[in-house]
Amino acid sequence: MTIRVLDPEVVSRIAAGEVVERPASVVKELVENSLDASSSQISIEVRGGGVSLIRVIDNGLGIPSAEVELAFDRYTTSKIGNLEDLESITSLGFRGEALPSICAVAQVDIVTCASGESVGTYLSLKDGMVANRGSQGRSQGTTITVRNLFRKVPARLKFLKSPATENSHIANVVSQYALAFPEVKFTLLIDGRVTLRTPGSGRLIDSVTEIYGLEVARNMVEIGHGGGEWEGRAMVSPPKVTGMVGSPAVSRSSRGYLSLFISRRWVSSRLLAWAVEEAYHGLLPQGKHPVAIINISLPPEQVDVNIHPAKSEVKFQNERLVFNAVQKAVRQALIELMPVPKIEAPITAYGTPSGQRESLWALAGSSDRLTTLPLAPPQTPKVSLPMLRVLGQLLSSYIITEGPDGLYLIDQHAAHERVLFERIEHQRARQKIEVQGLLEPVTLEVNPKQDEVLKSHYDSLAEFGFSIEPFGDKTYLVRAVPALLYKKDWVGMVREVLDSLSGGDWAESIAISMACHSAVRAGQALTDDEMRELIRQLEQVALPHTCPHGRPTMIRLSSGQLKREFGRS
Ligand code: ADP
Ligand code: MG
C-alpha cells in the first residue's frame, strides 16, 4: 500500500497521544516499522542511553522515493485506509504518528530503498523540516538515524533516568520483539557492544536462550497445540495460545519475565498476567513469578488496540474467553512439564483403608498372593503418582521408595505439607474442618500490627477451626484450634500468619501455614508404617510433585538414568 494522509474522520477516532516518552519509545516505534515492512534482519544501535544516537537498520520493503517526505507528515500511513480498517488492524503501526513525533524532538536522517529502485533516497530532517534530500546507494531496506533526542525539550531530558537505565529499557523493548519474532535476526549494539543477537531461526527457544540464558531455556516448555478454529469471521473455539513457559524451578522475584503478545504485538495486560499466574497457582513459592512468553492469536476484530497512545494496552471483546484460554494452555503445559508416570497395573488399590499398603504393593507386583488379600471396593482411580514401595529413610528426612520406573526420593516434610494442604482445603470447602476444643482457654498476646490484622480476620481463622475472641488490650482468648494443630505450635503458626498476611489470598495463606506447622519435620525419624502411610496419602493428592510453597516433593532417578550412571547399555 502507498503512504496516504488519513481522513480527518479516522484521525478523530485514533487514540492519539505522546508516543515519544523516552529513548526506548523511539526504538519501539522504529522496530515496529521495520517489522511491519517484513524485515528479516533488524539491527539497532544506540549511544548515550539513546539520547545521542539511535539507529535502526532493516532489510524490509523500504519506502518508495516519492513517498519518503510523506512518511514524516502527521497522520500519513501506508497501513490503514479507512474507518473500517481501524476495526481490523493487523500491522503494528497504523496511526502515522511515530515518524513526525520523533522528528519533532530530534534530528532524523533516513536512507531508504524500495524494491525495484536502483538507488536509495536520503533525507535529513531538522526541527521537523526537511533540511536535505539526495540519493544514496543502499540495498533494499531502511536506515533511520535519530540524534540528539530531546535536546530542544529540556523538560523531557530532565525526566530521563541514567543512560544505564534508559539502555535497560531499550534492551527490554528489543528483547520483547526478539521473543515475538524469532524468525527475525535482531542485533542490538549499545555503545559499540553487542548486547543481544538472535539467530532469526524461527525457533522461539533460540531467542529465549539468547535473552534469558541456557539455564532458563533448559527449563522452558512449549505451550499450545490446537485451538483457534475459525467459522467465517467469528472465533468459535478458544483463541490460539502459543509460546513457552518456565518450570517452577526458574521462577523469578519480579514480574518482568512475563512477556505477553496479542498477535505478536507486545502488550501489558493485568488480565492476562493474572491468567498466567493463576495457572501456576500452588506451584510457585509466595512472591515468585513465572518466566513465560505467551502469544495469543485472535482475529483482529476481537481485540481493540486503539485505546492507548503507545498501543501497549488492548481491549478484548470477550475477556473471559481469552482469560480461560491462556490459563488452560499454560496449566496444560505445566502438567506436561512435570510428567507423571502412568500405572500399568489395574488401579483397584486406591482408596483402601490405611495399613494395607504393603500388601497392595505386592498385589500389583505378584499375582500369587492376590487371593489371600482383601480387595477394597475400587474408587475413582487417581494416576498422579504410581504406587511406590518404601525402602527406607535417609538422613531422617527423605523417604527412599521404588516405583515402576526407578527410584523416588521423597522429601518427607514437603510431601506431608502437600498432603495436609489438600486435606485442609478439602475440609474447608465442605466446612468440615476438625476442631479440637482446648481444656483451658489460652491467652494469646499479639503486637500492634498483628492486632490490626487479627481484628479484621477472625472470620477467616474461624473457617479453619480457630475460635479466638478479644480479651483486653492486644490480648485474645483462644478456645479451640484445628485438630491438626492441637499438639503443635499453633501459637507460632497464628503469629506467622498474622505477620505474613497483607492482602492476597488469606485463606490460602492460612491453609499453607497450617500445613507447614503440622507436617512432620526434616530430621524426624519415621517408622516403616508411618512412611508407608505418608506415601499412600501422597499418591492420592491432586498435585503430588510440589509442596504448597511450590518446592518439589520428590526427585526421581529413572531406571534408564541408573543404567546410564552405571555404564550399562
Ligand atoms: P505508522 O507506522 O503508524 O504507519 P509511522 O509514522 O511510524 O506510522 O510511519 C509512517 C509510514 O512510513 C509507514 O506507514 C510506512 O509506510 C513508512 N515506514 C516507516 N518506517 C518504515 C520502514 N522501516 N520500512 C518501510 N516503511 C517504513
Ligand atoms: Mg509506525
Side-chain angles (χ1 to χ4, degrees):
M1 214 197 271
T2 52
I3 303 182
R4 289 175 295 173
V5 182
L6 284 174
D7 209 83
E9 203 188 346
V10 181
V11 171
S12 70
R13 287 274 308 276
I14 61 185
E18 199 45 72
V19 294
V20 188
E21 206 187 323
R22 62 189 336 152
S25 6
V26 173
V27 173
K28 175 173 181 281
E29 293 295 334
L30 296 181
V31 167
E32 287 188 353
N33 280 347
S34 298
L35 290 166
D36 279 344
S38 311
S39 308
S40 62
Q41 283 184 31
I42 303 174
S43 142
I44 301 108
E45 187 187 339
V46 303
R47 290 190 181 273
V51 173
S52 318
L53 176 110
I54 295 172
R55 176 176 290 141
V56 175
I57 308 169
D58 70 45
N59 64 350
L61 298 170
I63 306 176
S65 181
E67 296 176 16
V68 182
E69 277 88 348
L70 206 50
F72 289 88
D73 280 348
R74 203 162 279 273
Y75 307 127
T76 55
T77 180
S78 58
K79 299 170 193 174
I80 61 168
N82 51 38
L83 268 185
E84 219 170 85
D85 294 345
L86 210 50
E87 307 292 316
S88 55
I89 294 162
T90 51
S91 52
L92 297 169
F94 55 89
R95 296 190 183 123
E97 263 202 312
L99 293 185
S101 305
I102 297 168
C103 272
V105 291
Q107 206 179 311
V108 176
D109 292 341
I110 180 171
V111 183
T112 183
C113 183
S115 76
E117 295 184 338
S118 53
V119 66
T121 308
Y122 163 76
L123 200 68
S124 167
L125 296 105
K126 279 205 177 80
D127 301 324
M129 310 290 283
V130 175
N132 234 324
R133 188 188 219 272
S135 309
Q136 194 170 308
R138 197 205 187 286
S139 52
Q140 187 186 318
T142 304
T143 302
I144 295 189
T145 310
V146 178
R147 288 192 180 88
N148 302 326
L149 183 65
F150 299 144
R151 176 179 281 179
K152 302 231 162 117
V153 202
R156 199 72 63 79
L157 209 50
K158 239 194 299 180
F159 157 85
L160 296 185
K161 302 278 188 301
S162 67
T165 304
E166 296 305 328
N167 284 341
S168 77
H169 285 291
I170 291 169
N172 188 37
V173 166
V174 178
S175 303
Q176 298 305 325
Y177 276 109
L179 290 170
F181 291 81
E183 75 278 29
V184 176
K185 229 181 200 168
F186 280 89
T187 309
L188 171 63
L189 274 165
I190 295 184
D191 296 321
R193 278 177 299 107
V194 177
T195 310
L196 185 147
R197 176 173 280 155
T198 61
S201 64
R203 287 188 305 263
L204 177 56
I205 189 71
D206 293 340
S207 297
V208 172
T209 308
E210 174 60 34
I211 291 156
Y212 293 138
L214 206 56
E215 181 55 28
V216 169
R218 278 204 190 107
N219 284 286
M220 299 293 285
V221 64
E222 259 184 66
I223 50 172
H225 314 286
E229 292 303 316
W230 296 64
E231 195 175 86
R233 299 199 81 196
M235 196 76 159
V236 287
S237 73
K240 188 167 177 179
V241 183
T242 49
M244 300 192 97
V245 292
S247 84
V250 290
S251 62
R252 293 289 185 266
S253 321
S254 91
R255 290 205 168 81
Y257 295 78
L258 174 55
S259 303
L260 298 167
F261 306 97
I262 309 291
S263 303
R264 307 220 276 176
R265 174 192 303 283
W266 179 34
V267 297
S268 62
S269 160
R270 293 175 64 162
L271 176 87
L272 298 183
W274 183 36
V276 176
E277 299 235 342
E278 276 292 296
Y280 277 85
H281 195 91
L283 298 177
L284 291 181
Q286 266 186 356
K288 289 288 185 184
H289 303 280
V291 180
I293 300 120
I294 313 274
N295 181 58
I296 302 147
S297 305
L298 268 180
E301 55 279 2
Q302 298 236 339
V303 52
D304 189 355
V305 292
N306 187 25
I307 59 163
H308 186 263
K311 302 163 285 182
S312 60
E313 281 167 28
V314 295
K315 215 170 110 203
F316 301 107
Q317 215 175 63
N318 188 341
E319 289 197 337
R320 185 117 291 274
L321 189 77
V322 180
F323 182 95
N324 288 342
V326 169
Q327 194 193 18
K328 204 171 137 201
V330 174
R331 190 77 190 176
Q332 186 60 39
L334 289 172
I335 289 171
E336 280 168 27
L337 186 65
M338 294 184 270
V340 284
K342 290 258 166 4
I343 307 165
E344 271 112 51
I347 328 165
T348 46
Y350 285 84
T352 51
S354 58
Q356 295 183 11
R357 194 64 196 82
E358 169 76 287
S359 36
L360 289 166
W361 169 257
L363 170 80
S366 69
S367 52
D368 52 1
R369 289 177 62 194
L370 204 140
T371 46
T372 63
L373 289 164
L375 258 185
Q379 297 197 354
T380 327
K382 290 225 175 89
V383 286
S384 44
L385 256 198
M387 289 191 284
L388 300 174
R389 187 165 70 102
V390 172
L391 301 177
Q393 196 184 21
L394 180 72
L395 303 170
S396 300
S397 302
Y398 307 99
I399 303 172
I400 310 167
T401 68
E402 181 195 358
D405 182 35
L407 185 82
Y408 293 68
L409 203 54
I410 294 173
D411 180 321
Q412 64 192 40
H413 176 67
H416 200 202
E417 262 187 326
R418 165 55 70 185
V419 166
L420 294 175
F421 174 73
E422 292 198 8
R423 185 184 303 163
I424 293 163
E425 290 278 61
H426 185 80
Q427 290 180 354
R428 186 180 66 101
R430 283 161 189 72
Q431 298 177 331
K432 281 193 176 151
I433 292 271
E434 288 162 39
V435 176
Q436 176 69 55
L438 303 176
L439 292 175
E440 298 262 321
V442 172
T443 52
L444 172 72
E445 284 174 30
V446 295
N447 67 30
K449 186 187 157 236
Q450 294 167 337
D451 193 38
E452 281 310 304
V453 182
L454 188 49
K455 267 186 204 142
S456 49
H457 284 98
Y458 294 126
D459 294 351
S460 311
L461 282 161
E463 268 184 55
F464 286 91
F466 286 98
S467 157
I468 302 181
E469 60 197 59
F471 189 65
D473 185 34
K474 296 193 273 307
T475 308
Y476 293 80
L477 264 195
V478 184
R479 296 188 181 279
V481 297
L484 260 181
L485 287 166
Y486 182 53
K487 292 206 169 134
K488 310 275 177 170
D489 175 24
W490 55 264
V491 175
M493 181 243 135
V494 170
R495 291 225 166 91
E496 180 191 279
V497 163
L498 295 176
D499 284 338
S500 64
L501 287 177
S502 53
D505 188 343
W506 249 86
E508 189 182 75
S509 306
I510 295 174
I512 291 178
S513 191
M514 274 175 66
C516 181
H517 280 263
S518 37
V520 294
R521 308 264 128 204
Q524 195 172 326
L526 299 178
T527 65
D528 284 356
D529 278 347
E530 285 169 334
M531 286 191 279
R532 278 197 287 271
E533 179 59 22
L534 174 53
I535 297 304
R536 189 191 67 81
Q537 292 173 2
L538 186 66
E539 284 166 2
Q540 301 191 24
V541 302
L543 294 169
H545 296 268
T546 54
C547 79
H549 303 95
R551 290 186 281 271
T553 54
M554 66 186 72
I555 296 173
R556 189 184 71 160
L557 208 54
S558 69
S559 41
Q561 273 170 300
L562 285 168
K563 277 184 195 149
R564 271 198 303 283
E565 292 295 327
F566 288 110
R568 295 260 172 81
S569 56

